[in-house]
Amino acid sequence: PKVLLLIVGCLTTSVASAVGINDYDYFKRVSPGKERLIVPAYRGVSAKTRRLMKRAITQSYKALGKRPIANTYALYWHTKKSNLTKVAKKWCSVAGRKGRHLKRCLTEGGGWDKGFKTTNIGSAVFETATRQGLMEATEDTWGETNVNFHAKTAAHEYFHVYQTMMQHYFEKEDRIGIPQKRPREYIDGGPVWMIEGGADYFAYNVMGKHKWRDYEDWMEDTLRDAKQEIARGKKKGIKVILKNYAKESQLEKMIAKGFSPHFQYDGGAWAMAYLRYLKGTNKGVFTNYYKDIAELERTWRKKGKINYGWQMSFKKNFGMTVSQFYTKFNRFMKWSTARQ
């Protein structure tokens, strides 16, 4: 059976023709203190699957706070047995698709990620249009159910919802702020290796804490995979280091060369673990880093600089610039596995 779990969202803003770097779109959060996790039932998805995912997501948001970061929809559907039109309507509604975008959204082949028949997917984000979280993934197609892989995916995707909201959330003002002027490769919450590696590292911690899978074993497997990718990269003439896994365009160039990049997950997770080792706590990589991004981005925009929020938050919370960390981590990745 092929069952999908959905946790997705997109940032939508209306941009004027002459937008200044200090212009923001602001939104109020939805029902602070009353946020809910909503997991609709669809034909073909077992009650066991829904319970598994609800438990994994609940454990994830409780690791970060008492309730979900926002009303969060986790949509799980069976690619052949579920009513895909019904799933699409719910997805489009939560995503805030309206007008001409709604028709395209509801078209099987023109919906998100080539339609709702797609398998082996997992995605999540906080939707600014509706101020809700939206998530997704698949079951029984990875062949790793014996190690609770799907629960790990749910935790990983929930962290993306958290990341996406927090990097735009102004705590004291209790509102979401999206800068209108954003260059094509604008990095909202940090480089790709930090977004994906951070979500994986968070998931490994949640899985280990609740004894879904041994944390150390999983991290050892991840380190092995990261080192194997470094070796594969050498054969292809590709330097596998964090700096080269910062932007989507960099990954696309690797893929064009026939190379399959995954270091943003494995190397990224170990980068988070190394930051935790250097600081002695996970607070920086799980909460403090994300809490400071929005405020620092706005501060630096007033100084005439764009895309400095995440860089300044990194420096503030980890005591070094991201370039300095690259140097440290490159050195760390050359250590013996035992020393690491």
Side-chain angles (χ1 to χ4, degrees):
K2 297 177 181 178
V3 182
L4 297 177
L5 139 72
L6 169 68
I7 315 170
V8 183
C10 303
L11 299 176
T12 58
T13 59
S14 56
V15 183
S17 56
V19 177
I21 64 172
N22 292 321
D23 292 330
Y24 274 71
D25 284 321
Y26 288 103
F27 308 87
K28 290 298 293 182
R29 267 212 304 150
V30 174
S31 304
K34 297 181 181 180
E35 300 87 350
R36 297 181 299 138
L37 171 63
I38 303 102
V39 188
Y42 295 112
R43 188 169 61 247
V45 182
S46 69
K48 181 180 178 182
T49 294
R50 293 176 71 246
R51 286 196 300 270
L52 170 76
M53 295 306 190
K54 285 180 74 172
R55 183 181 166 204
I57 297 169
T58 300
Q59 289 172 346
S60 298
Y61 69 66
K62 284 186 175 179
L64 299 165
K66 294 181 180 180
R67 302 190 67 83
I69 196 69
N71 284 342
T72 301
Y73 286 78
L75 309 184
Y76 308 90
W77 67 89
H78 192 293
T79 56
K80 293 182 179 179
K81 296 179 180 179
S82 299
N83 182 330
L84 299 183
T85 299
K86 186 178 178 182
V87 177
K89 284 183 177 179
K90 174 59 72 174
W91 191 94
C92 296
S93 173
V94 179
R97 301 293 192 268
K98 297 179 181 179
R100 62 187 178 85
H101 298 293
L102 178 60
K103 185 176 181 180
R104 182 174 182 275
C105 185
L106 292 174
T107 302
E108 184 183 320
W112 84 277
D113 199 18
K114 298 180 182 178
F116 293 88
K117 287 187 176 181
T118 309
T119 58
N120 289 333
I121 52 177
S123 183
V125 80
F126 173 78
E127 293 278 5
T128 53
T130 59
R131 275 85 74 201
Q132 298 181 122
L134 184 55
M135 308 173 52
E136 115 222 2
T138 61
E139 183 198 25
D140 289 342
T141 49
W142 286 300
E144 295 193 59
T145 52
N146 60 320
V147 289
N148 291 313
F149 188 80
H150 307 305
K152 177 262 179 180
T153 300
H156 173 109
E157 299 303 345
Y158 176 75
F159 196 68
H160 281 328
V161 174
Y162 170 82
Q163 287 172 321
T164 315
M165 176 172 162
M166 292 305 297
Q167 69 199 24
H168 297 297
Y169 182 50
F170 294 86
E171 280 79 10
K172 290 182 179 179
E173 300 160 32
D174 190 24
R175 62 178 180 172
I176 309 298
I178 309 295
Q180 291 183 4
K181 190 177 181 64
R182 299 160 77 208
R184 189 175 65 85
E185 279 221 282
Y186 179 72
I187 300 176
D188 283 303
V192 176
W193 62 263
M194 197 163 191
I195 298 300
E196 297 298 352
D200 260 6
Y201 180 61
F202 174 78
Y204 297 149
N205 274 267
V206 170
M207 296 291 284
K209 179 181 178 181
H210 294 282
K211 301 187 179 352
W212 292 63
R213 184 174 172 182
D214 185 82
Y215 170 81
E216 290 189 7
D217 283 350
W218 208 329
M219 287 298 285
E220 286 176 9
D221 289 347
T222 301
L223 180 60
R224 180 201 62 220
D225 292 343
K227 290 191 166 186
Q228 287 178 350
E229 183 158 344
I230 292 173
R232 283 193 295 111
K234 285 182 179 179
K235 293 180 180 179
K236 284 270 190 178
I238 294 172
K239 197 169 186 179
V240 178
I241 55 176
L242 289 182
K243 187 177 181 180
N244 293 341
Y245 286 70
K247 299 178 180 179
E248 290 292 346
S249 59
Q250 292 173 301
L251 305 184
E252 289 167 3
K253 288 178 181 178
M254 292 181 193
I255 294 171
K257 292 180 180 179
F259 189 78
S260 180
H262 202 264
F263 193 74
Q264 66 271 32
Y265 294 91
D266 305 323
W270 268 87
M272 296 299 102
Y274 189 50
L275 280 170
R276 182 251 177 261
Y277 164 74
L278 293 174
K279 298 301 293 183
T281 174
N282 272 325
K283 282 187 176 181
V285 296
F286 289 160
T287 57
N288 295 347
Y289 166 77
Y290 294 102
K291 283 182 177 180
D292 290 329
I293 293 176
E295 287 81 0
L296 288 169
E297 177 65 25
R298 191 168 61 180
T299 295
W300 281 86
R301 279 174 176 262
K302 290 177 180 177
K303 297 179 181 180
K305 293 185 179 291
I306 292 179
N307 202 31
Y308 268 57
W310 73 268
Q311 297 179 61
M312 293 301 107
S313 186
F314 191 100
K315 186 176 181 179
K316 175 183 176 181
N317 288 290
F318 304 122
M320 69 191 97
T321 65
V322 69
S323 294
Q324 290 171 328
F325 177 65
Y326 284 153
T327 300
K328 283 180 177 288
F329 189 70
N330 289 345
R331 192 179 303 129
F332 169 81
M333 285 304 292
K334 291 177 182 177
W335 292 357
S336 68
T337 299
R339 186 182 176 192
Q340 287 168 327

